Amino acid sequence: MIEVKENYCLIEMPIKKDMLNGLKTVHGGVTFAFADSALAFSSNNTGDAAVALNCIINFTKAGKEGDVFRAESVLVNNTRKTAVYDIQITNQNKELIAKFVGTVYKIGKKVTEL
């Protein structure tokens, strides 16, 4: 974790050999899970519990072993029951690896109540 503040986070992850697929590029599921983690950190850090309702990812560049991924999650729309976050995943060269949009549903409980 690099930075966390209300409805925002920036996290980093080094890419290791066991994260690669058969083509020796980062497995899409690893990239998706990393983006989903950024969504969770940014949408739950106010203490109000939220769960993913819908997530869409576009892969724009293949990652490789030795890369360092960064995911930045920014709130773009907030209503009483839902919120939408844009998450961009970049590598150490600031190249866009993936664009992820996540919608969360606010379940009406505090994170500490779960």
Side-chain angles (χ1 to χ4, degrees):
M1 244 182 243
I2 295 170
E3 182 179 3
V4 177
K5 58 186 177 186
E6 188 170 325
N7 297 306
Y8 171 90
C9 84
L10 179 63
I11 58 177
E12 190 173 85
M13 175 179 71
I15 300 302
K16 300 174 184 172
K17 187 175 185 173
D18 60 350
M19 298 173 169
L20 305 180
N21 60 25
L23 301 173
K24 298 192 187 317
T25 60
V26 179
H27 191 287
V30 170
T31 306
F32 187 98
F34 183 53
D36 188 46
S37 292
L39 175 64
F41 291 135
S42 58
S43 65
N44 285 280
N45 69 25
T46 62
D48 296 317
V51 296
L53 185 60
N54 184 51
C55 299
I56 299 168
I57 192 166
N58 287 294
F59 302 100
T60 56
K61 183 173 178 63
K64 302 181 280 304
E65 183 179 0
D67 281 349
V68 178
F69 280 9
R70 277 190 168 202
E72 182 176 37
S73 179
V74 178
L75 176 69
V76 294
N77 188 51
N78 197 17
T79 70
R80 186 175 54 82
K81 293 303 276 179
T82 64
V84 178
Y85 290 80
D86 275 345
I87 294 103
Q88 289 202 22
I89 298 177
T90 56
N91 65 14
Q92 67 280 1
N93 300 318
K94 296 187 170 56
E95 297 168 314
L96 185 65
I97 298 296
K99 170 81 166 144
F100 181 102
V101 177
T103 302
V104 296
Y105 177 74
K106 300 172 190 175
I107 64 173
K109 295 182 180 181
K110 295 290 182 185
V111 173
T112 56
E113 295 175 348
L114 302 176

